[in-house]
Amino acid sequence: KATQTEILDEYSVYGEVAYDRTEKWDVSVGARYFRYDDDLDVCTTFFPAPAVPKCDVGDDISNDTLEKFRTTYKFTENHSVYFAVAEGYRRGGANLTPANITTNQFYDPDKATNYELGVHSFLLDQRLKLNAALFNIAWEDIQVRMAADGRTIWANAGEARSQGVEFDASLQLNSEFVLRTGYSYTDAKLTESVESIAIFDGDTLPGAPRNQWNIGLDYVQSFNTTVVDASVGFNRIGEIYTAPNASFYSYQKLDSYTTANARAGVTFGNWRLGAFVNNIENTRGINGKRSGEWHGEQGQFEYITRPRTIGLSVTYKY
């Protein structure tokens, strides 16, 4: 029997400064300093007797400074461009390990730097709103889930890169209807080989769909003090892989799927009565999976989308 006790304390301080260089050009910079104190106690009890637990203590202290920068330039009131750089951090941790195994007890923090260039535009007398962005995320010591020493653990897999484009738009068709849509393309891959854990340059990052899109139609109509609203939307999630490459026991390709949702409501005064139907077609989309190769027939399962859900709501604002 093994028990693991972990106490995590986080301390941080942050600040941001914005400066308008001109009426059209502004710049902002910010920083966040943090420190993690991670106290870990792992105790293993062996049977048969003597059932005296063997305990190992692992303390980890992490600290770093994350920075951000953003600048925006307005060509006109309806058209602007921006560039942003921001750093992100995810703490490391410990894997629950048997007492006779000393490898892969801990995994390190990972850090990402995001570069983004985008535009915001209004067209057709501001009836059409367009947003688009190019992004590139550089990842260091990325954390991945893998099998080692007969168990599933977290480990660090070197460097990775995620780059692509995002786009969304909304069009006011008339006073009642708005058409909205969005699309993203993401190319997410490892850029460094770590042969000790069978991960190689060019492997696909698990859980990252290459293509995603959505489209929907919103309706709002006022009748004196009563407001009727409704919407219908479709969401498409592209195929994903569950592991970096075929050497992983959990490596599988999950098919793309589409779901549809709808809602409607009536607002009068401070009250709103609403109804919704999520996943109208009862689509069985699989977004995660565990195979039977490692865990056996009884240990395999799938993470699926929520089945068709119908509901009513009553809301009061005060």
Side-chain angles (χ1 to χ4, degrees), residues 37-72:
D37 290 349
D38 194 354
D39 297 328
L40 177 72
D41 294 328
V42 179
C43 294
T44 305
T45 303
F46 298 92
F47 293 97
V52 178
K54 177 182 181 299
C55 296
D56 295 313
V57 178
D59 296 332
D60 179 53
I61 297 177
S62 300
N63 60 83
D64 203 349
T65 299
L66 304 178
E67 301 172 347
K68 62 178 292 188
F69 168 83
R70 181 183 176 99
T71 182
T72 303

Side-chain angles (χ1 to χ4, degrees), residues 35-233:
R35 167 175 163 153
Y36 283 110
D37 290 349
D38 194 354
D39 297 328
L40 177 72
D41 294 328
V42 179
C43 294
T44 305
T45 303
F46 298 92
F47 293 97
V52 178
K54 177 182 181 299
C55 296
D56 295 313
V57 178
D59 296 332
D60 179 53
I61 297 177
S62 300
N63 60 83
D64 203 349
T65 299
L66 304 178
E67 301 172 347
K68 62 178 292 188
F69 168 83
R70 181 183 176 99
T71 182
T72 303
Y73 186 83
K74 285 186 176 182
F75 297 99
T76 68
E77 287 299 318
N78 293 328
H79 305 286
S80 64
V81 61
Y82 71 90
F83 175 71
V85 181
E87 294 180 322
Y89 176 94
R90 179 169 52 174
R91 72 176 184 89
N95 296 301
L96 184 60
T97 60
N100 60 333
I101 295 179
T102 59
T103 59
N104 299 311
Q105 286 184 309
F106 298 93
Y107 55 95
D108 296 328
D110 58 358
K111 186 175 181 179
T113 304
N114 178 48
Y115 303 88
E116 186 172 332
L117 176 64
V119 295
H120 300 303
S121 292
F122 289 94
L123 303 169
L124 304 177
D125 295 328
Q126 296 193 340
R127 290 173 45 239
L128 175 61
K129 179 181 179 180
L130 298 175
N131 298 314
L134 299 172
F135 65 88
N136 186 303
I137 303 174
W139 220 324
E140 301 175 11
D141 296 322
I142 185 171
Q143 298 170 9
V144 296
R145 195 78 166 157
M146 60 172 292
D149 305 319
R151 69 194 193 282
T152 302
I153 65 167
W154 285 100
N156 296 95
E159 297 181 355
R161 184 248 317 130
S162 177
Q163 61 184 5
V165 59
E166 298 175 335
F167 165 85
D168 67 80
S170 62
L171 175 62
Q172 188 83 42
L173 299 175
N174 53 35
S175 59
E176 292 86 26
F177 288 96
V178 175
L179 179 66
R180 51 183 168 78
T181 186
Y183 170 78
S184 68
Y185 170 85
T186 305
D187 180 26
K189 293 182 178 180
L190 294 162
T191 56
E192 180 184 1
S193 298
V194 184
E195 296 186 4
S196 61
I197 57 175
I199 287 177
F200 305 99
D201 182 5
D203 286 348
T204 300
L205 285 181
R210 186 174 290 263
N211 294 283
Q212 299 183 76
W213 60 260
N214 65 79
I215 188 170
L217 184 66
D218 299 332
Y219 169 81
V220 177
Q221 176 70 61
S222 298
F223 301 94
N224 296 324
T225 60
T226 301
V227 179
V228 177
D229 66 270
S231 70
V232 60

Side-chain angles (χ1 to χ4, degrees), residues 245-257:
N245 59 60
S247 67
F248 286 72
Y249 76 92
S250 60
Y251 181 79
Q252 297 180 67
K253 184 179 79 170
L254 306 181
D255 293 334
S256 56
Y257 61 90

Side-chain angles (χ1 to χ4, degrees), residues 269-291:
N270 294 334
W271 291 91
R272 182 182 185 277
L273 303 179
F276 66 88
V277 182
N278 293 333
N279 195 1
I280 297 173
E281 296 181 324
N282 203 28
T283 300
R284 191 177 188 275
I286 302 174
N287 48 51
K289 202 169 187 178
R290 192 169 81 173
S291 69

